[in-house]
Amino acid sequence: MNIEKKIEINRDLLVQIAKIGRKNSVIPSLQNLFPFEHYFDEKGNLKREELDKIDGLWTRREILTRYLLVSSVLDQGPDLEGVRQLLKEVVNSLYEKEIRIFHKPLDFFKEIGISIDEIIRKHASIKKIRAEDWAKENKSNPNKYNLFTDRTNQVLGYAVYRWGTPLCVPYLLEKDFQKNRNELIEPLVEYIESWDSAEIMSQQIKDNERYGLGKAIGDKAGHLFAKFYIHTFGLAKRNDESFGPLSYELPFDSNAGRVLFRTGFLFNCAELSDYEKWDVIQKGRGKGGKDYIRVTNIRGRKSNELSKSLEFMNSYETICIEYLKVRKRKPSTVEIQRIPNTLLLDTQYGIGDLDDGLIYIGTNYCYNHDKPKCKECPIKSFCIAYNKKDLISRFRT
Ligand code: SF4
């Protein structure tokens, strides 16, 4: 197949998924969270016109942004629904006890005994409800159900590292701004929007020497935070292209990777042998001896194939220089994780729509086992695994 055809097929696929995402996007319900109850109307819509209202010392936008940062860090592991429930229940419990961790982040540490007791208590109650079903679905033992990131049993390490580190960022920013005699009502928001683009911001959230979360946050979580901030909750004050719908990369998690692998998207970017060489496909290392797809290893890998198309390279240059702001000069080769931005350029869709679509398809049809619901899948006519079942049975994410 020639390159232009591959590009066309991939573009049609992504637009279709993004279209589905826009119709089926799920906004995490925060109106049941104690600190945010009054931020939403009766229908559950965020009162955007009130984002600048002061809540304590900060604006509502600032408080929500603090929450989203913690939420992005925690949003990983084998049971995302359980993780989200844990965050919600712990936050509610702490706020009921006047430990207002997003308004006064230091309270989380001042009352560390209560903070970890609440995490342990809520984790145990969620485990009771969800462990059996989780074990059945994952052919595992319910005792192994563990929502602490890295599946540790040490609650103090989990609490201080995964909850505490992102809570420290706004606190440190507040102190630093005060040192320079700047009283700000949105220290975290100001910091986030001070970067050239949302993509640079999501990298700096991890890598910045002073404020970076380091290993407490992964690349995917940095991009998820950008998606929440710009697309899902529409918190961005800036309205330039570099903080718009194509200004950050796709949060590349196993769900997205599985759909993009099975549908053939990744094969139109590079060969199976390339993915094996890059350790994206790890032979026999998946559950049951299947080949494991480790999508995070795609980062930084190049598509020599698509780099040969002049027209595609022109769009890629625009994306890198004007939207992501990751390059000053024309790039010579295409990095695979930036292909979705390039293909969605000049369409009505953004990375948030695409990610919503991948979540919808991955959680409702394209399950991580041998029998996804292909016959009912809304993108079956675009998917090569629909007629090539070994792409489903041989590989796992
Ligand atoms: S047709 Fe099947 S393999 Fe393809 S995306 Fe849909 S569920 Fe997944």
Side-chain angles (χ1 to χ4, degrees):
M1 197 192 303
N2 74 34
I3 301 163
E4 301 310 329
K5 188 73 193 160
K6 286 182 178 180
I7 293 170
E8 189 191 322
I9 288 174
N10 270 0
R11 180 177 290 116
D12 288 350
L13 170 71
L14 293 199
V15 166
Q16 187 61 24
I17 298 173
K19 207 183 208 173
I20 291 167
R22 188 167 290 180
K23 257 202 216 144
N24 297 284
S25 73
V26 181
I27 299 180
S29 67
L30 302 188
Q31 72 267 34
N32 298 328
L33 267 152
F34 192 71
F36 307 127
E37 273 171 343
H38 53 302
Y39 289 17
F40 292 82
D41 63 22
E42 316 81 65
K43 287 187 188 145
N45 298 317
L46 177 65
K47 294 187 229 165
R48 286 218 166 76
E49 66 291 352
E50 295 185 8
L51 283 172
D52 293 326
K53 268 198 173 176
I54 299 295
D55 179 356
L57 293 172
W58 322 108
T59 64
R60 290 185 180 185
R61 178 185 283 104
E62 169 76 11
I63 301 289
L64 267 175
T65 306
R66 294 176 179 196
Y67 168 83
L68 294 179
L69 187 58
V70 176
S71 164
S72 308
V73 169
L74 297 179
D75 208 69
Q76 54 183 303
D79 181 21
L80 283 183
E81 203 43 51
V83 166
R84 289 168 191 161
Q85 212 171 317
L86 179 68
L87 171 64
K88 186 168 136 190
E89 292 193 14
V90 171
V91 167
N92 278 348
S93 233
L94 293 178
Y95 267 77
E96 272 165 22
K97 294 179 171 57
E98 291 293 319
I99 303 169
R100 307 173 77 230
I101 59 174
F102 302 116
H103 293 74
K104 290 172 151 191
L106 221 52
D107 283 5
F108 182 81
F109 299 97
K110 274 189 193 154
E111 300 295 350
I112 190 72
I114 299 177
S115 301
I116 61 172
D117 281 348
E118 286 309 317
I119 292 174
I120 293 171
R121 208 161 63 85
K122 296 299 179 189
H123 186 272
S125 69
I126 292 168
K127 183 171 180 175
K128 217 174 192 177
I129 299 166
R130 299 187 63 87
E132 289 286 343
D133 287 348
W134 170 83
K136 253 185 233 158
E137 210 170 287
N138 292 282
K139 297 194 179 88
S140 186
N141 182 331
N143 289 331
K144 289 193 175 159
Y145 186 87
N146 186 337
L147 297 173
F148 297 171
T149 325
D150 311 320
R151 306 218 198 164
T152 62
N153 286 316
Q154 289 75 42
V155 66
L156 182 62
Y158 163 72
V160 171
Y161 190 41
R162 301 286 180 174
W163 289 66
T165 320
L167 284 171
C168 280
V169 178
Y171 179 73
L172 181 59
L173 284 162
E174 179 199 335
K175 292 288 148 201
D176 285 356
F177 279 126
Q178 276 171 2
K179 237 194 301 180
N180 297 324
R181 300 186 190 289
N182 279 329
E183 295 289 338
L184 284 181
I185 49 175
E186 295 185 321
L188 183 58
V189 170
E190 293 277 337
Y191 173 72
I192 281 167
E193 299 209 10
S194 69
W195 295 104
D196 282 353
S197 71
E199 177 57 28
I200 304 282
M201 175 273 285
S202 76
Q203 292 168 10
Q204 287 296 322
I205 278 193
K206 181 168 184 269
D207 298 332
N208 187 266
E209 232 175 67
R210 184 165 177 80
Y211 305 106
L213 299 176
K215 290 197 171 136
I217 191 168
D219 291 321
K220 176 230 135 185
H223 292 125
L224 182 66
F225 174 72
K227 179 198 162 189
F228 279 158
Y229 188 75
I230 292 170
H231 170 81
T232 312
F233 291 98
L235 299 183
K237 290 176 19 174
R238 273 171 61 175
N239 55 12
D240 50 306
E241 280 160 350
S242 47
F243 255 77
L246 296 174
S247 62
Y248 54 96
E249 291 169 12
L250 181 71
F252 233 90
D253 61 6
S254 59
N255 183 69
R258 184 170 65 255
V259 178
L260 294 177
F261 179 82
R262 287 176 174 174
T263 50
F265 175 89
L266 292 176
F267 294 115
N268 285 333
C269 303
E271 302 291 328
L272 181 61
S273 55
D274 292 322
Y275 292 114
E276 285 172 356
K277 192 171 67 198
W278 299 331
D279 249 3
V280 172
I281 302 294
Q282 303 180 351
K283 283 201 168 245
R285 294 199 13 216
K287 217 171 189 174
K290 309 220 172 194
D291 292 353
Y292 179 53
I293 310 169
R294 191 175 176 83
V295 276
T296 44
N297 286 356
I298 287 180
R299 220 182 148 63
R301 299 301 181 180
K302 309 266 170 64
S303 170
N304 293 329
E305 184 74 354
L306 300 198
S307 306
K308 290 178 199 154
S309 161
L310 200 64
E311 201 186 330
F312 187 78
M313 284 310 288
N314 286 339
S315 302
Y316 184 70
E317 179 185 350
T318 307
I319 282 293
C320 290
I321 297 178
E322 292 172 29
Y323 288 73
L324 303 175
K325 304 231 171 177
V326 289
R327 305 289 292 239
K328 294 256 185 285
R329 278 191 234 112
K330 192 181 174 81
S332 56
T333 41
V334 170
E335 289 192 27
I336 293 175
Q337 81 272 8
R338 292 176 188 149
I339 291 175
N341 303 62
T342 312
L343 291 174
L344 291 178
L345 183 66
D346 298 329
T347 72
Q348 52 168 305
Y349 300 104
I351 290 297
D353 298 311
L354 176 63
D355 192 50
D356 285 342
L358 288 165
I359 292 170
Y360 179 76
I361 289 161
T363 53
N364 290 293
Y365 304 94
C366 203
Y367 304 129
N368 191 26
H369 57 52
D370 288 356
K371 292 193 178 70
K373 286 175 156 171
C374 292
K375 284 203 174 111
E376 292 141 62
C377 178
I379 55 164
K380 65 181 180 211
S381 59
F382 295 82
C383 178
I384 60 166
Y386 188 67
N387 294 316
K388 228 168 166 260
K389 294 291 182 223
D390 72 311
L391 282 181
I392 297 172
S393 56
R394 241 182 79 193
F395 302 89
R396 274 286 155 97
T397 52

mmCIF file of all heavy atoms in Angstrom, residues 258-259 262-263 361 365-367 372-375 377-381 383-386 389 392, ligand 1:
data_model
loop_
_atom_site.group_PDB
_atom_site.id
_atom_site.type_symbol
_atom_site.label_atom_id
_atom_site.label_comp_id
_atom_site.label_asym_id
_atom_site.label_seq_id
_atom_site.Cartn_x
_atom_site.Cartn_y
_atom_site.Cartn_z
ATOM 1 N N ARG A 258 -4.155 -0.594 22.739
ATOM 2 C CA ARG A 258 -4.817 -1.820 22.266
ATOM 3 C C ARG A 258 -5.680 -1.523 21.040
ATOM 4 O O ARG A 258 -5.600 -2.217 20.028
ATOM 5 C CB ARG A 258 -5.671 -2.393 23.401
ATOM 6 C CG ARG A 258 -6.340 -3.709 23.069
ATOM 7 C CD ARG A 258 -6.946 -4.325 24.309
ATOM 8 N NE ARG A 258 -8.043 -3.567 24.890
ATOM 9 C CZ ARG A 258 -7.977 -2.836 25.990
ATOM 10 N NH1 ARG A 258 -6.869 -2.756 26.677
ATOM 11 N NH2 ARG A 258 -9.026 -2.173 26.448
ATOM 12 N N VAL A 259 -6.488 -0.455 21.109
ATOM 13 C CA VAL A 259 -7.374 -0.131 19.979
ATOM 14 C C VAL A 259 -6.542 0.291 18.761
ATOM 15 O O VAL A 259 -6.800 -0.153 17.634
ATOM 16 C CB VAL A 259 -8.392 0.977 20.375
ATOM 17 C CG1 VAL A 259 -9.274 1.341 19.188
ATOM 18 C CG2 VAL A 259 -9.252 0.522 21.558
ATOM 19 N N ARG A 262 -4.925 -2.991 17.312
ATOM 20 C CA ARG A 262 -5.849 -3.916 16.640
ATOM 21 C C ARG A 262 -6.433 -3.336 15.358
ATOM 22 O O ARG A 262 -6.618 -4.045 14.373
ATOM 23 C CB ARG A 262 -6.991 -4.305 17.596
ATOM 24 C CG ARG A 262 -6.554 -5.256 18.702
ATOM 25 C CD ARG A 262 -7.687 -5.524 19.671
ATOM 26 N NE ARG A 262 -7.346 -6.540 20.660
ATOM 27 C CZ ARG A 262 -8.132 -6.868 21.680
ATOM 28 N NH1 ARG A 262 -9.291 -6.257 21.850
ATOM 29 N NH2 ARG A 262 -7.767 -7.805 22.527
ATOM 30 N N THR A 263 -6.744 -2.050 15.391
ATOM 31 C CA THR A 263 -7.355 -1.453 14.195
ATOM 32 C C THR A 263 -6.376 -1.338 13.029
ATOM 33 O O THR A 263 -6.781 -1.135 11.895
ATOM 34 C CB THR A 263 -7.878 -0.026 14.497
ATOM 35 O OG1 THR A 263 -6.822 0.689 15.140
ATOM 36 C CG2 THR A 263 -9.113 -0.053 15.375
ATOM 37 N N ILE A 361 -14.529 3.035 23.094
ATOM 38 C CA ILE A 361 -14.417 1.769 22.346
ATOM 39 C C ILE A 361 -13.685 0.718 23.180
ATOM 40 O O ILE A 361 -14.100 -0.437 23.263
ATOM 41 C CB ILE A 361 -13.719 2.018 20.993
ATOM 42 C CG1 ILE A 361 -14.673 2.798 20.094
ATOM 43 C CG2 ILE A 361 -13.339 0.691 20.313
ATOM 44 C CD1 ILE A 361 -14.024 3.498 18.955
ATOM 45 N N TYR A 365 -16.232 -2.260 23.949
ATOM 46 C CA TYR A 365 -16.163 -3.263 22.872
ATOM 47 C C TYR A 365 -14.813 -3.973 22.834
ATOM 48 O O TYR A 365 -14.741 -5.194 22.862
ATOM 49 C CB TYR A 365 -16.408 -2.609 21.496
ATOM 50 C CG TYR A 365 -17.708 -1.861 21.426
ATOM 51 C CD1 TYR A 365 -17.767 -0.486 21.692
ATOM 52 C CD2 TYR A 365 -18.891 -2.525 21.123
ATOM 53 C CE1 TYR A 365 -18.970 0.202 21.656
ATOM 54 C CE2 TYR A 365 -20.104 -1.839 21.080
ATOM 55 C CZ TYR A 365 -20.130 -0.476 21.343
ATOM 56 O OH TYR A 365 -21.324 0.203 21.321
ATOM 57 N N CYS A 366 -13.752 -3.197 22.798
ATOM 58 C CA CYS A 366 -12.433 -3.773 22.507
ATOM 59 C C CYS A 366 -11.720 -4.204 23.796
ATOM 60 O O CYS A 366 -10.691 -3.655 24.173
ATOM 61 C CB CYS A 366 -11.596 -2.747 21.746
ATOM 62 S SG CYS A 366 -10.295 -3.506 20.791
ATOM 63 N N TYR A 367 -12.304 -5.218 24.465
ATOM 64 C CA TYR A 367 -11.763 -5.645 25.752
ATOM 65 C C TYR A 367 -10.390 -6.284 25.601
ATOM 66 O O TYR A 367 -10.045 -6.804 24.541
ATOM 67 C CB TYR A 367 -12.691 -6.685 26.401
ATOM 68 C CG TYR A 367 -14.103 -6.213 26.565
ATOM 69 C CD1 TYR A 367 -15.155 -7.004 26.098
ATOM 70 C CD2 TYR A 367 -14.402 -5.012 27.183
ATOM 71 C CE1 TYR A 367 -16.475 -6.594 26.241
ATOM 72 C CE2 TYR A 367 -15.712 -4.602 27.334
ATOM 73 C CZ TYR A 367 -16.740 -5.392 26.856
ATOM 74 O OH TYR A 367 -18.036 -4.981 26.991
ATOM 75 N N PRO A 372 -13.364 -9.718 22.232
ATOM 76 C CA PRO A 372 -13.971 -8.382 22.257
ATOM 77 C C PRO A 372 -15.271 -8.418 21.452
ATOM 78 O O PRO A 372 -15.519 -9.354 20.704
ATOM 79 C CB PRO A 372 -12.911 -7.514 21.568
ATOM 80 C CG PRO A 372 -12.098 -8.438 20.755
ATOM 81 C CD PRO A 372 -12.144 -9.774 21.412
ATOM 82 N N LYS A 373 -16.098 -7.374 21.646
ATOM 83 C CA LYS A 373 -17.409 -7.396 20.965
ATOM 84 C C LYS A 373 -17.288 -6.820 19.555
ATOM 85 O O LYS A 373 -17.838 -5.743 19.257
ATOM 86 C CB LYS A 373 -18.384 -6.545 21.773
ATOM 87 C CG LYS A 373 -18.867 -7.186 23.070
ATOM 88 C CD LYS A 373 -19.702 -6.123 23.723
ATOM 89 C CE LYS A 373 -20.718 -6.486 24.669
ATOM 90 N NZ LYS A 373 -21.282 -5.336 25.363
ATOM 91 N N CYS A 374 -16.567 -7.523 18.692
ATOM 92 C CA CYS A 374 -16.281 -6.993 17.350
ATOM 93 C C CYS A 374 -17.548 -6.766 16.525
ATOM 94 O O CYS A 374 -17.656 -5.778 15.808
ATOM 95 C CB CYS A 374 -15.347 -7.934 16.608
ATOM 96 S SG CYS A 374 -13.706 -7.959 17.332
ATOM 97 N N LYS A 375 -18.489 -7.691 16.637
ATOM 98 C CA LYS A 375 -19.684 -7.586 15.766
ATOM 99 C C LYS A 375 -20.479 -6.316 16.058
ATOM 100 O O LYS A 375 -21.117 -5.766 15.179
ATOM 101 C CB LYS A 375 -20.576 -8.813 15.956
ATOM 102 C CG LYS A 375 -20.012 -10.017 15.246
ATOM 103 C CD LYS A 375 -21.098 -11.044 14.933
ATOM 104 C CE LYS A 375 -20.503 -12.147 14.097
ATOM 105 N NZ LYS A 375 -20.403 -13.414 14.790
ATOM 106 N N CYS A 377 -19.094 -3.555 17.375
ATOM 107 C CA CYS A 377 -18.171 -2.408 17.485
ATOM 108 C C CYS A 377 -18.426 -1.355 16.396
ATOM 109 O O CYS A 377 -18.511 -1.683 15.217
ATOM 110 C CB CYS A 377 -16.729 -2.918 17.398
ATOM 111 S SG CYS A 377 -15.538 -1.585 17.451
ATOM 112 N N PRO A 378 -18.545 -0.079 16.792
ATOM 113 C CA PRO A 378 -18.859 0.955 15.796
ATOM 114 C C PRO A 378 -17.716 1.264 14.815
ATOM 115 O O PRO A 378 -17.936 1.980 13.844
ATOM 116 C CB PRO A 378 -19.181 2.180 16.658
ATOM 117 C CG PRO A 378 -18.541 1.926 17.972
ATOM 118 C CD PRO A 378 -18.485 0.448 18.163
ATOM 119 N N ILE A 379 -16.518 0.723 15.066
ATOM 120 C CA ILE A 379 -15.440 0.990 14.090
ATOM 121 C C ILE A 379 -14.989 -0.290 13.390
ATOM 122 O O ILE A 379 -13.908 -0.344 12.818
ATOM 123 C CB ILE A 379 -14.230 1.723 14.735
ATOM 124 C CG1 ILE A 379 -13.690 0.962 15.955
ATOM 125 C CG2 ILE A 379 -14.565 3.149 15.076
ATOM 126 C CD1 ILE A 379 -12.303 1.431 16.379
ATOM 127 N N LYS A 380 -15.843 -1.316 13.417
ATOM 128 C CA LYS A 380 -15.418 -2.598 12.832
ATOM 129 C C LYS A 380 -15.038 -2.467 11.354
ATOM 130 O O LYS A 380 -14.129 -3.142 10.883
ATOM 131 C CB LYS A 380 -16.471 -3.679 13.045
ATOM 132 C CG LYS A 380 -17.779 -3.433 12.349
ATOM 133 C CD LYS A 380 -18.749 -4.552 12.664
ATOM 134 C CE LYS A 380 -20.060 -4.276 11.956
ATOM 135 N NZ LYS A 380 -21.214 -4.775 12.648
ATOM 136 N N SER A 381 -15.719 -1.575 10.614
ATOM 137 C CA SER A 381 -15.404 -1.472 9.179
ATOM 138 C C SER A 381 -14.044 -0.809 8.946
ATOM 139 O O SER A 381 -13.526 -0.805 7.838
ATOM 140 C CB SER A 381 -16.503 -0.722 8.435
ATOM 141 O OG SER A 381 -16.643 0.557 8.994
ATOM 142 N N CYS A 383 -11.407 -1.626 11.015
ATOM 143 C CA CYS A 383 -10.461 -2.371 11.866
ATOM 144 C C CYS A 383 -9.908 -3.620 11.185
ATOM 145 O O CYS A 383 -10.676 -4.475 10.730
ATOM 146 C CB CYS A 383 -11.207 -2.753 13.152
ATOM 147 S SG CYS A 383 -10.207 -3.726 14.273
ATOM 148 N N ILE A 384 -8.587 -3.768 11.136
ATOM 149 C CA ILE A 384 -8.035 -4.950 10.454
ATOM 150 C C ILE A 384 -8.186 -6.209 11.313
ATOM 151 O O ILE A 384 -8.283 -7.308 10.787
ATOM 152 C CB ILE A 384 -6.562 -4.772 10.001
ATOM 153 C CG1 ILE A 384 -5.625 -4.493 11.161
ATOM 154 C CG2 ILE A 384 -6.425 -3.724 8.917
ATOM 155 C CD1 ILE A 384 -4.162 -4.666 10.775
ATOM 156 N N ALA A 385 -8.250 -6.047 12.643
ATOM 157 C CA ALA A 385 -8.375 -7.239 13.499
ATOM 158 C C ALA A 385 -9.753 -7.888 13.350
ATOM 159 O O ALA A 385 -9.939 -9.048 13.717
ATOM 160 C CB ALA A 385 -8.125 -6.872 14.957
ATOM 161 N N TYR A 386 -10.712 -7.159 12.788
ATOM 162 C CA TYR A 386 -12.046 -7.722 12.603
ATOM 163 C C TYR A 386 -11.962 -8.967 11.698
ATOM 164 O O TYR A 386 -12.681 -9.937 11.869
ATOM 165 C CB TYR A 386 -12.972 -6.666 11.988
ATOM 166 C CG TYR A 386 -14.412 -7.109 11.932
ATOM 167 C CD1 TYR A 386 -15.147 -7.286 13.102
ATOM 168 C CD2 TYR A 386 -15.044 -7.350 10.709
ATOM 169 C CE1 TYR A 386 -16.467 -7.703 13.057
ATOM 170 C CE2 TYR A 386 -16.366 -7.764 10.652
ATOM 171 C CZ TYR A 386 -17.073 -7.942 11.834
ATOM 172 O OH TYR A 386 -18.375 -8.356 11.784
ATOM 173 N N LYS A 389 -8.104 -12.343 13.199
ATOM 174 C CA LYS A 389 -8.303 -12.546 14.631
ATOM 175 C C LYS A 389 -7.013 -12.839 15.403
ATOM 176 O O LYS A 389 -6.987 -12.732 16.623
ATOM 177 C CB LYS A 389 -9.335 -13.663 14.886
ATOM 178 C CG LYS A 389 -10.738 -13.297 14.413
ATOM 179 C CD LYS A 389 -11.351 -12.180 15.274
ATOM 180 C CE LYS A 389 -12.759 -11.861 14.816
ATOM 181 N NZ LYS A 389 -13.109 -10.472 14.743
ATOM 182 N N ILE A 392 -5.888 -10.308 17.732
ATOM 183 C CA ILE A 392 -6.559 -10.252 19.040
ATOM 184 C C ILE A 392 -6.026 -11.366 19.941
ATOM 185 O O ILE A 392 -5.657 -11.129 21.086
ATOM 186 C CB ILE A 392 -8.091 -10.390 18.853
ATOM 187 C CG1 ILE A 392 -8.616 -9.207 18.041
ATOM 188 C CG2 ILE A 392 -8.787 -10.479 20.209
ATOM 189 C CD1 ILE A 392 -10.063 -9.311 17.620
HETATM 190 S S1 SF4 B 1 -13.643 -4.475 15.670
HETATM 191 FE FE1 SF4 B 1 -13.015 -5.711 17.434
HETATM 192 S S2 SF4 B 1 -10.783 -5.560 17.503
HETATM 193 FE FE2 SF4 B 1 -11.535 -3.929 16.167
HETATM 194 S S3 SF4 B 1 -11.672 -2.151 17.506
HETATM 195 FE FE3 SF4 B 1 -13.684 -3.127 17.445
HETATM 196 S S4 SF4 B 1 -13.713 -4.527 19.191
HETATM 197 FE FE4 SF4 B 1 -11.569 -3.958 18.809
#
